[in-house]
Amino acid sequence: YLQGVPRNSIFITSKVQPKEMISFEKTYNAVVGILDKLGTSYLDLCLLHWPGVAKIPVSSPEHQQKRIQAWAALERIYTEGKARLIGVSNFEESHLRELMRHSKFAPAVNQVECHPLFQQRSLRNFCSDNKILVEAYASFGEGNLLRDERILKIANECNMSAAQLLLCWSYSQGIPMLPKSTNPDHIASNLRAVKKFKQLKQSALDRLKMLDCGKKFAWDPRKIR
């Protein structure tokens, strides 16, 4: 951990990779290996990174079986106290429905791409109905939305940067987000976004809502069986 920082002051999230989801044992051992590498006895959140398994055709029904086995391994990890929360990433509603039919515990989190051009309203409603927290990644559209003229215009009118506007949009929707940056100035600016939320007028939110066009920038899990 960071020197002098107590473990309970740090929230650690990690993921099981698609190549590690080939069996119950492989998934379980992958999480144990993560704990060993981090030198901790538990994760705060452990996710299945993808609804598919590496090196299997996307249309193969084998993905369904592997997902169920991998999730059973995370349930074991959870009941043993090796993870405080377990969840998934990039799961569509069909993946979640199937998983929940074969599980003891529903995922606590579904981490997905979500931003004004890809708002995922149907998936978010399903997750809300089933008490699954939607967590957004790629909030900036892998950088593309920071250059989008429509976003820039609204941001300028709200006296904030494009990044701050996008984070405020997520905040307005009740969606935790994961803005990625190694630049200290960008990190500080991102943190100031919440304070600027009150500057975001309803008219700006209405215009952002109209931008939803199903445009993805990251991986697309919709073809995974």
Side-chain angles (χ1 to χ4, degrees):
Y1 318 124
L2 298 175
Q3 187 173 3
V5 179
R7 170 64 182 88
N8 60 9
S9 297
I10 305 171
F11 193 97
I12 301 177
T13 301
S14 193
K15 296 180 178 179
V16 177
Q17 301 299 318
K19 65 181 180 180
E20 299 166 330
M21 292 170 53
I22 60 176
S23 68
F24 178 102
E25 293 76 14
K26 184 76 171 178
T27 302
Y28 182 91
N29 290 335
V31 180
V32 171
I34 291 169
L35 295 173
D36 288 343
K37 289 177 182 178
L38 293 175
T40 184
S41 61
Y42 70 94
L43 297 172
D44 295 284
L45 175 61
C46 186
L47 305 174
L48 297 182
H49 195 176
W50 185 250
V53 180
K55 299 182 178 180
I56 295 178
V58 293
S59 60
S60 172
E62 193 174 354
H63 292 293
Q64 300 172 359
Q65 178 187 2
K66 299 296 186 183
R67 277 196 300 271
I68 293 168
Q69 293 176 351
W71 184 252
L74 285 200
E75 290 181 322
R76 173 75 65 83
I77 289 291
Y78 173 71
T79 57
E80 291 179 350
K82 293 181 173 66
R84 294 178 59 234
L85 296 166
I86 54 175
V88 296
S89 183
N90 297 296
F91 274 48
E92 295 291 302
E93 180 178 332
S94 60
H95 302 138
L96 291 168
R97 285 185 181 277
E98 177 225 29
L99 191 71
M100 290 164 65
R101 285 197 300 267
H102 297 89
S103 64
K104 298 176 183 176
F105 306 105
V109 172
N110 187 18
Q111 190 184 98
V112 298
E113 179 177 355
C114 191
H115 46 70
L117 271 64
F118 192 62
Q119 298 183 24
Q120 301 256 49
R121 295 178 204 169
S122 177
L123 178 61
R124 285 162 50 198
N125 288 337
F126 175 83
C127 288
S128 177
D129 290 344
N130 288 277
K131 297 181 173 57
I132 301 170
L133 177 69
V134 170
E135 186 176 56
Y137 73 80
S139 296
F140 302 153
E142 297 194 333
N144 291 282
L145 299 185
L146 301 180
R147 300 182 293 274
D148 188 296
E149 292 184 3
R150 298 164 298 178
I151 299 291
L152 289 167
K153 183 177 180 180
I154 298 171
N156 184 60
E157 292 172 1
C158 294
N159 193 32
M160 61 180 73
S161 69
Q164 289 174 333
L165 175 68
L166 293 165
L167 295 177
C168 282
W169 176 83
S170 290
Y171 188 74
S172 76
Q173 304 297 304
I175 305 172
M177 71 295 287
L178 298 166
K180 180 181 179 181
S181 179
T182 57
N183 184 309
D185 291 336
H186 291 171
I187 294 171
S189 178
N190 291 342
L191 290 172
R192 288 195 297 270
V194 174
K195 294 182 180 180
K196 292 200 170 203
F197 176 69
K198 293 181 180 180
Q199 298 173 215
L200 193 59
K201 298 179 181 179
Q202 185 60 47
S203 59
L205 288 173
D206 291 341
R207 289 160 67 190
L208 291 171
K209 184 177 181 179
M210 295 297 292
L211 296 180
D212 191 12
C213 60
K215 174 64 175 177
K216 277 185 63 64
F217 296 96
W219 311 277
D220 192 344
R222 288 173 287 191
K223 294 181 180 180
I224 300 291
R225 286 279 301 273

